[in-house]
Amino acid sequence: KTEVTLTNDTITYGDALSEMSFEEVVFEDEAGNAVEGTLAWKEPSATPNAGTTSATWVFTPNNAEYASVEGTVAITVNKATSNVTGVPTVADLVYDGTAQNLINAGTTTDGEMQYSLDGTNYSSAIPTGTDAGEYTVWYKVDGDENHNDTEPASIEVSIAPKSITVTADNASKIYDENDPTFTYTATGLEGSDTLTGTLSRETGEKAGTYAITQGTLANPNYEITFVEGTFTINKATPPAL
């Protein structure tokens, strides 16, 4: 029995069997005479799946008096490199009080796109973010049976704060009284969102008008356009003689 061997028995998925060559071998008939002919793959354009498998060769004698001979040889098909056919893109995001998809999904034909916010825990779900700020989204291809996983890559994503207007309510007091609590009207807050901090005013205790200012009023999810109010200190009524 003639043993057929290969010069290289390993290919990568996507390569055809024709990428592998046979070692020189002599076929003989039952009498021990050498038989000239051609040794080739039965299906030279076949692209086997990744793994260890066998492929069929065929020896075709030049002399038509001899029948063709077939046999198999063990081969190894390595997984191919996965490709990201469409890189995830950054979504144009502004805070709206809800969880928003941070990216537009990537694409691959070699497995499944997977995503992560911590670079460790991956899934096919698109990561979401609610609060305004900076996010890092990691992505990779989880390769199928014929493809390796890709090395993770990342993109930076921002959710911009929402622009709102805060208008200070005008206020007043009588000279020498304590200041009232300053109030305001906020236009554009989402849902049950509130602002933290308090308004302030220009310093001064003489009768007259003073600007009511933003003070410490803030919320990191909002970019505030502040409209100042007017605080009036009215003259006190002189005591009766």
Side-chain angles (χ1 to χ4, degrees):
K1 181 179 179 180
T2 302
E3 182 180 0
V4 173
T5 57
L6 302 169
T7 58
N8 177 15
D9 63 359
T10 301
I11 56 174
T12 299
Y13 174 74
D15 291 341
L17 291 177
S18 57
E19 297 291 325
M20 292 184 290
S21 301
F22 298 99
E23 295 276 9
E24 186 174 342
V25 62
V26 176
F27 285 83
E28 297 177 343
D29 61 15
E30 294 180 355
N33 299 311
V35 178
E36 299 294 328
T38 303
L39 177 62
W41 293 109
K42 186 175 182 179
E43 297 180 27
S45 61
T47 54
N49 289 330
T52 300
T53 186
S54 60
T56 302
W57 52 263
V58 58
F59 176 72
T60 306
N62 294 337
N63 188 337
E65 297 297 323
Y66 292 102
S68 296
V69 178
E70 290 186 7
T72 60
V73 63
I75 63 170
T76 298
V77 182
N78 292 325
K79 289 186 175 184
T81 301
S82 295
N83 292 302
V84 177
T85 54
V87 175
T89 56
V90 175
D92 185 14
L93 302 174
V94 176
Y95 173 79
D96 66 1
T98 67
Q100 303 181 77
N101 288 344
L102 294 173
I103 58 170
N104 302 306
T107 57
T108 181
T109 58
D110 302 331
E112 179 181 71
M113 292 295 300
Q114 293 194 340
Y115 311 94
S116 172
L117 285 177
D118 60 11
T120 300
N121 300 295
Y122 284 84
S123 77
S124 59
I126 300 296
T128 61
T130 300
D131 291 333
E134 303 297 320
Y135 297 82
T136 299
V137 177
W138 296 86
Y139 65 92
K140 67 175 184 176
V141 176
D142 183 31
D144 58 23
E145 66 274 11
N146 289 315
H147 295 85
N148 291 308
D149 297 351
T150 61
E151 288 295 319
S154 66
I155 52 177
E156 301 301 314
V157 183
S158 297
I159 297 180
K162 179 182 179 181
S163 296
I164 63 171
T165 300
V166 174
T167 302
D169 299 324
N170 294 330
S172 65
K173 73 171 184 177
I174 302 298
Y175 172 77
D176 211 25
E177 291 181 349
N178 293 327
D179 284 3
T181 299
F182 298 118
T183 59
Y184 58 86
T185 300
T187 303
L189 288 174
E190 296 288 344
S192 59
D193 285 356
T194 59
L195 304 177
T196 60
T198 57
L199 299 180
S200 186
R201 71 170 178 89
E202 289 181 305
T203 57
E205 292 299 332
K206 293 182 179 181
T209 58
Y210 302 85
I212 300 174
T213 58
Q214 185 172 340
T216 60
L217 200 66
N219 182 317
N221 288 318
Y222 295 94
E223 182 175 336
I224 297 174
T225 297
F226 187 77
V227 180
E228 294 182 344
T230 300
F231 178 59
T232 303
I233 299 178
N234 296 308
K235 293 180 179 180
T237 302
L241 297 176

